Amino acid sequence: MSTSRIRKEVDEALLAFVDRQRPALLTISDDLAPMMSALDALLGGGKRLRPAFCYWGWSAAGGEDGPGIVAAAASLELLQASALIHDDVMDSSDTRRGQPSVHRRFEALHRAQSWPGDAEAFGGGSAILLGDLCLAWSGEMFETCGLDGDRRRRGREVYDLMRTEVMCGQYLDMLEGTRGEATVATALRVVEYKAAKYTIERPLHLGAALAGARPDVTAALTGYGLPLGIAFQLRDDVLGVFGDPAETGKPAGDDLREGKRTVLVALSLERASAAQAARLRRRLGDPDLDRAGVDELRTIIEETGGLTACEDMIERYLTEAERALRAAPIGEEARQALAELAVAATTRSM
């Protein structure tokens, strides 16, 4: 199956599941319609990377095409929706995928209706609840995917671990921002658990487990997936500072305003002069950072060599992933698809 066909079938399965849930919510109350509208808008975007890696993990382990694996893979988009909604609340992000973030949508609803009370508190609370609902639905969609019980049992072990790891990674990310002094090593730890495992390695493992993969196949998928996941997130960090809003779906320099303690920032601080480090620390995390301030911090990151060092790391991790993929004991169709996904994950334009 082609990657474009996988995406189409994942979209169809995801939207069909949500449409089946819709009547139950609206039977409770028509007041829940804005919840569904916010979810529809969020699910309408996204690259569907996690379902794609899940499908090719399944294929690499000898699984055959069918609606069951597509539905199981599509359930990861509901898990991702939950993570994005909660992440945007924690980061006070205004936009997601080029449109208002979920909590901002509910703030706007509160203000439009002239309701009493705090619009921001209503927005945040509503978003947390919708994120929780997506988390619950991700498990329900997985359990009702149509694969047999033994396959689901094997996959559930990976699914549970994946959910635990991403939440721990989110906490570590928040902790590093609070401490304000991430090293390259601690920033990489966040990358591994918040992004690399969650985005690539565990979806591969999930598909492989559902197909009953041999241990050597699972190990090979780790050899490919973990370094690729790190490279993917490092590319995302670069885009968060230097990216085009049309590509990132967020305002230029938003990661700088949010004060994200990324590997890119840690590499820059590690190489900065005392004066450069002081300026970077002083302006990082300023929610009122204007375009001139963003440009100032970008210049520091470039002049210290932090950007070049981060690009070098991306290339090293990508090379490691490609080497592991070439040696993996999998079929050529899966190998080619995973090679194409590696390029797509790490060469997004700025």
Side-chain angles (χ1 to χ4, degrees):
M1 190 187 302
S2 69
T3 298
S4 60
R5 179 65 183 274
I6 293 166
R7 175 166 183 157
K8 179 177 182 294
E9 293 195 8
V10 163
D11 283 346
E12 291 171 352
L14 182 63
L15 296 179
F17 177 85
V18 172
D19 282 343
R20 288 196 298 273
Q21 304 293 93
R22 196 182 309 273
L25 262 69
L26 298 182
T27 296
I28 294 171
S29 173
D30 289 341
D31 287 334
L32 292 168
M35 298 278 278
M36 296 306 301
S37 295
L39 180 58
D40 289 340
L42 181 62
L43 293 178
K47 300 177 178 66
R48 310 299 193 234
L49 280 176
R50 291 160 193 82
F53 282 113
C54 180
Y55 174 85
W56 288 113
W58 161 274
S59 178
E64 298 180 356
D65 288 349
I69 182 56
V70 171
S75 74
L76 294 176
E77 282 299 303
L78 288 168
L79 177 59
Q80 171 68 348
S82 173
L84 292 179
I85 293 168
H86 288 165
D87 196 46
D88 285 344
V89 172
M90 290 186 286
D91 290 342
S92 298
S93 297
D94 294 329
T95 59
R96 170 65 65 180
R97 294 174 174 169
Q99 52 189 342
S101 51
V102 168
H103 64 285
R104 297 300 187 216
R105 285 179 180 274
F106 283 104
E107 282 181 35
L109 173 64
H110 186 286
R111 293 191 175 99
Q113 297 297 322
S114 300
W115 290 331
D118 187 330
E120 288 191 11
F122 176 79
S126 299
I128 289 169
L129 291 170
L130 182 56
D132 290 347
L133 184 61
C134 288
L135 180 61
W137 281 356
S138 70
E140 182 179 342
M141 188 175 186
F142 176 78
E143 291 297 340
T144 59
C145 68
L147 295 175
D148 66 56
D150 285 341
R151 290 188 186 276
R152 294 200 316 275
R153 178 187 53 76
R154 291 194 299 267
R156 194 179 306 119
E157 295 177 6
V158 180
Y159 213 121
D160 289 344
L161 179 59
M162 180 180 178
R163 288 182 289 194
T164 297
E165 286 174 341
V166 72
M167 291 176 191
C168 291
Q170 286 277 28
Y171 173 77
L172 292 174
D173 188 28
M174 185 174 65
L175 181 64
E176 292 302 328
T178 300
R179 286 173 171 166
E181 281 299 331
T183 65
V184 173
T186 60
L188 277 171
R189 181 181 64 177
V190 171
V191 166
E192 180 175 349
Y193 286 97
K194 183 183 175 182
K197 287 180 175 292
Y198 168 66
T199 302
I200 299 179
E201 185 193 20
R202 295 307 183 203
L204 286 167
H205 284 178
L206 176 61
L210 289 168
R214 303 189 314 266
D216 61 328
V217 171
T218 302
L221 293 176
T222 289
Y224 158 83
L226 189 55
L228 179 60
I230 295 172
F232 168 84
Q233 184 57 44
L234 294 181
R235 171 60 62 214
D236 211 52
D237 291 344
V238 171
L239 289 172
V241 175
F242 295 95
D244 180 348
E247 169 71 25
T248 64
K250 302 183 80 172
D254 226 30
D255 280 5
L256 299 173
R257 295 184 188 89
E258 293 171 10
K260 288 186 178 293
R261 304 290 167 164
T262 62
V263 172
L264 176 63
V265 168
L267 287 167
S268 300
L269 287 170
E270 192 175 70
R271 290 160 172 74
S273 67
Q276 288 172 322
R279 285 161 57 205
L280 184 52
R281 289 189 177 101
R282 185 175 67 251
R283 302 303 303 276
L284 189 65
D286 178 0
D288 298 320
L289 196 67
D290 58 13
R291 180 57 184 266
V294 169
D295 287 343
E296 178 188 2
L297 295 188
R298 285 172 169 170
T299 298
I300 292 171
I301 290 169
E302 288 184 279
E303 289 181 347
T304 60
L307 177 58
T308 298
C310 194
E311 291 287 355
D312 288 345
M313 287 184 73
I314 292 170
E315 286 303 314
R316 289 199 303 273
Y317 281 113
L318 178 57
T319 297
E320 181 182 343
E322 290 172 338
R323 186 182 303 118
L325 182 60
R326 286 194 296 270
I330 62 177
E332 286 308 309
E333 184 184 14
R335 194 188 319 276
Q336 181 60 37
L338 292 172
E340 292 172 2
L341 283 171
V343 173
T346 56
T347 58
R348 292 166 290 162
S349 63
M350 293 192 289

